[in-house]
Amino acid sequence: MDDSANILAMAESPLGMNAIAGDDKLSFEGVLIGLIDRWLDPAIRNVPVVICGMAGARQGWLEAPYCEVPVAPRDLASGAVSPTVADPRVAVSILPGLCQRPKGVGEISGDADVMRGEETQLVGFMNQNPDFAGWVCLPGTHSKWARVADGKITAFRTYMSGEVFALLSRQSILRHSVGDDWDDAAFAGAVRSAKTQPGSFLHQLFTVRAAGLVALNSADVPSGVAVLSGSVIGLEIADILDRLQDGETIALVGAGKLASLYQAALAVHGQTALAMDGGAITLAGLSQAYQTLSHASQRI
Amino acid sequence: MDDSANILAMAESPLGMNAIAGDDKLSFEGVLIGLIDRWLDPAIRNVPVVICGMAGARQGWLEAPYCEVPVAPRDLASGAVSPTVADPRVAVSILPGLCQRPKGVGEISGDADVMRGEETQLVGFMNQNPDFAGWVCLPGTHSKWARVADGKITAFRTYMSGEVFALLSRQSILRHSVGDDWDDAAFAGAVRSAKTQPGSFLHQLFTVRAAGLVALNSADVPSGVAVLSGSVIGLEIADILDRLQDGETIALVGAGKLASLYQAALAVHGQTALAMDGGAITLAGLSQAYQTLSHASQRI
């Protein structure tokens, strides 16, 4: 990026933390330089590289210890760590993840929880929506919901919805009942049931299989994938709606089919969500971290 | 068995429906005769063989169409089917499974559901406990809970608890956090949370991973396998307790570690369960089906 956070060039690699840490022939610096080498001028030293995500995990490049909620964006940037690099052309900063430590019985938002990478998206979101108060959803394999108020992330909750859906639809007995047909009404019905009968989740799952076995008419069988998806996303959303306070709103960071499903599930309960593109939000967060880091180093 | 249901000999095979139906070299009759050939006298024809379970499924030996709840034990026996067999020494009866068809909005016990095999255990249980009124639990990969009243099975609910636990503990990200250490207090805490916050299930799962990452002292990390087990079994039990009416009791069919966990989870909520051995109950159910079938054929 240039100094005004305009993107000058982009590159990406499929190599994540586990692939790099698990291969003797790969190093984090090597993978980074392999991606950006062509952009680096041998005459210019210490080009700032700002990194978020699993590179800062204990098994990553260099551990950037978690910041604990409640946290403001500038606190996060000040927790960045700098691994020693062999290449003099770059100066690397790895941003910390975010954690939440149990606060004891009764403090329902205080469950043990962690994120790495999503906190930078949240910073980008907050930068673009400075007056936002409510819950920001980052759907995915492990969906993150963060409560934002007064310019701080005050609490967050991770839901294993994406991973549970994948395991159930691909590896459980339900894999035989999950076809490609989709049915909005079946999805909405499952979302509604998840809120009125959240304790029935493990039973509702089995109806995906049983519906096809007991139907007297195959046209009566609701779409298995829609019911499964509605049950899982519906349970996650029901839990957040129970925590939504007056005056708080919901924002959804993401695009494509998954974000649409979350919007549809929220709409079942009469909720509309502000939706934003995840890629732009991440760049905004990294850019803001860079601004904070460079101002801090100028003060030194 | 002899005519008084005393066991004379036992044999078992690891071959289930999928293994037999999926192998061109195997047949249901061949597997059966291979197991019991040595007990059969060439001079005696039509020895009754009573079968329950997946042999009666559509993909099994011969489909025994589901009976629908509410159902009395004699109704189940009368739904038995007899496959044609080449061996004149045996006369085979396959008992039907049980189904429940959706009854429409508001009828919460009427979700689509099926069982094959467990209904015969339920018949055995009812035979030995003729005055029982309440819910009978058959824990397992797919736990079955059946409501019994006035000598009938009136409704039932399947929970995918065992399969969900297996997938999460072996194949999800939680596999790294589920060790061998066990902690009764962590199990009980998760069981309690599942009842007070059933909607938080997909979030509670992730605390199994997060607890180890955020702990300042490793001694503070609750046993992952205990929390996971308590979350899953606790959600199932919370759903049944919500449906338990005054005067109804709970019975648990099964033995060993799994049944003990269900008893411990029920005890967290102050419930005691009548516990019975599953093998004996199955034999009692098959024996009663045989009695019903042989009386019926004598009347003909």
Side-chain angles (χ1 to χ4, degrees):
Chain A
M1 293 185 191
D2 65 18
D3 274 348
S4 306
N6 297 307
I7 298 170
L8 302 177
M10 295 186 75
E12 58 188 289
S13 159
L15 295 170
M17 178 191 74
N18 287 326
I20 299 172
D23 187 333
D24 286 346
K25 299 191 199 74
L26 295 175
S27 72
F28 286 91
E29 181 176 346
V31 171
L32 171 67
I33 298 298
L35 274 175
I36 66 172
D37 189 54
R38 61 204 149 115
W39 304 337
L40 298 172
D41 183 334
I44 302 177
R45 301 169 77 91
N46 295 327
V47 172
V49 175
V50 184
I51 296 178
C52 68
M54 296 305 282
R58 205 169 294 168
Q59 301 79 18
W61 189 347
L62 177 66
E63 185 176 5
Y66 293 112
C67 287
E68 192 172 347
V69 291
V71 71
R74 71 179 59 246
D75 304 330
L76 272 168
S78 68
V81 300
S82 295
T84 307
V85 288
D87 192 317
R89 298 173 298 172
V90 292
V92 174
S93 300
I94 303 177
L95 298 170
L98 199 55
C99 81
Q100 181 171 272
R101 295 204 167 86
K103 296 289 192 306
V105 179
E107 295 255 358
I108 53 171
S109 295
D111 298 321
D113 217 326
V114 293
M115 61 169 66
R116 279 201 186 273
E118 295 92 346
E119 74 295 326
T120 303
Q121 293 186 291
L122 290 168
V123 166
F125 173 85
M126 291 161 73
N127 181 255
Q128 300 194 1
N129 302 274
D131 298 324
F132 181 86
W135 288 88
V136 184
C137 175
L138 307 157
T141 303
H142 298 157
S143 288
K144 306 286 183 184
W145 286 82
R147 185 173 232 152
V148 171
D150 301 325
K152 288 188 176 178
I153 303 166
T154 61
F156 65 101
R157 296 172 75 79
T158 301
Y159 293 80
M160 288 186 62
S161 311
E163 185 166 16
V164 166
F165 177 82
L167 287 170
L168 289 170
S169 61
R170 290 178 205 155
Q171 303 199 51
S172 81
I173 186 128
L174 303 185
R175 69 188 184 279
H176 305 299
S177 309
V178 172
D180 293 330
D181 57 316
W182 182 265
D183 176 352
D184 284 338
F187 176 78
V191 168
R192 219 171 279 121
S193 288
K195 183 133 176 30
T196 55
Q197 301 185 54
S200 296
F201 178 70
L202 295 168
H203 164 66
Q204 286 297 131
L205 295 178
F206 191 72
T207 67
V208 170
R209 171 164 173 75
L213 294 171
V214 307
L216 300 173
N217 182 339
S218 66
D220 295 339
V221 182
S223 153
V225 65
V227 172
L228 180 56
S229 177
S231 297
V232 173
I233 294 176
L235 190 64
E236 174 183 331
I237 281 179
D239 197 46
I240 291 295
L241 292 182
D242 279 350
R243 288 168 166 72
L244 195 69
Q245 295 177 1
D246 285 348
E248 288 187 330
T249 52
I250 291 175
L252 203 48
V253 174
K257 196 183 158 194
L258 186 60
S260 302
L261 288 177
Y262 275 73
Q263 281 193 301
L266 287 164
V268 167
H269 299 300
Q271 295 282 341
T272 51
L274 179 66
M276 318 209 57
D277 178 68
I281 291 290
T282 306
L283 292 171
L286 287 167
S287 169
Q288 182 170 347
Y290 164 67
Q291 301 292 341
T292 308
L293 288 168
S294 62
H295 289 164
S297 65
Q298 281 164 17
R299 281 203 300 275
I300 296 167
Chain B
M1 292 186 193
D2 65 17
D3 273 348
S4 306
N6 298 306
I7 300 171
L8 302 177
M10 297 186 73
E12 57 188 289
S13 159
L15 296 169
M17 177 191 76
N18 286 327
I20 299 172
D23 187 335
D24 286 345
K25 299 189 201 72
L26 295 176
S27 72
F28 285 91
E29 180 176 347
V31 171
L32 171 67
I33 297 297
L35 274 175
I36 65 173
D37 189 53
R38 60 204 149 117
W39 306 336
L40 300 172
D41 181 336
I44 302 178
R45 301 170 79 92
N46 296 326
V47 171
V49 174
V50 185
I51 297 177
C52 68
M54 297 304 282
R58 204 168 296 169
Q59 301 80 19
W61 188 346
L62 177 66
E63 184 176 5
Y66 293 112
C67 287
E68 192 172 347
V69 291
V71 71
R74 72 179 60 246
D75 304 330
L76 272 167
S78 67
V81 299
S82 296
T84 307
V85 289
D87 191 317
R89 297 173 297 170
V90 293
V92 174
S93 300
I94 303 177
L95 298 170
L98 200 56
C99 82
Q100 181 170 272
R101 295 206 166 86
K103 296 289 191 308
V105 179
E107 296 255 359
I108 53 172
S109 295
D111 297 322
D113 217 326
V114 292
M115 60 169 69
R116 278 202 187 272
E118 296 92 347
E119 74 294 325
T120 302
Q121 295 188 290
L122 291 168
V123 166
F125 173 84
M126 291 162 72
N127 181 253
Q128 300 195 358
N129 302 274
D131 298 324
F132 181 86
W135 287 87
V136 184
C137 174
L138 307 158
T141 303
H142 298 155
S143 287
K144 306 286 182 182
W145 286 82
R147 185 173 234 154
V148 171
D150 301 326
K152 288 188 177 180
I153 303 166
T154 60
F156 65 100
R157 296 172 75 80
T158 301
Y159 294 80
M160 289 186 62
S161 310
E163 185 165 15
V164 166
F165 177 83
L167 286 169
L168 289 170
S169 60
R170 291 180 204 153
Q171 303 199 51
S172 82
I173 185 117
L174 303 185
R175 69 188 185 278
H176 305 299
S177 309
V178 171
D180 293 328
D181 58 315
W182 181 265
D183 176 352
D184 284 338
F187 177 79
V191 168
R192 218 171 279 122
S193 288
K195 183 134 177 33
T196 55
Q197 301 185 53
S200 295
F201 178 70
L202 295 168
H203 164 66
Q204 286 297 131
L205 296 178
F206 191 73
T207 67
V208 171
R209 172 165 172 78
L213 294 171
V214 307
L216 300 173
N217 182 341
S218 66
D220 295 340
V221 182
S223 153
V225 66
V227 172
L228 179 56
S229 177
S231 297
V232 174
I233 294 176
L235 190 64
E236 174 183 332
I237 282 182
D239 197 46
I240 291 295
L241 293 182
D242 279 351
R243 290 169 165 72
L244 193 68
Q245 295 178 1
D246 284 348
E248 288 187 329
T249 54
I250 291 175
L252 203 49
V253 174
K257 197 182 157 195
L258 186 61
S260 302
L261 289 176
Y262 275 73
Q263 281 194 301
L266 287 164
V268 168
H269 299 301
Q271 295 283 341
T272 50
L274 178 66
M276 320 211 53
D277 178 67
I281 291 290
T282 306
L283 292 172
L286 287 167
S287 170
Q288 182 169 348
Y290 165 65
Q291 300 292 342
T292 308
L293 289 168
S294 62
H295 288 165
S297 65
Q298 281 163 17
R299 280 202 299 274
I300 296 167

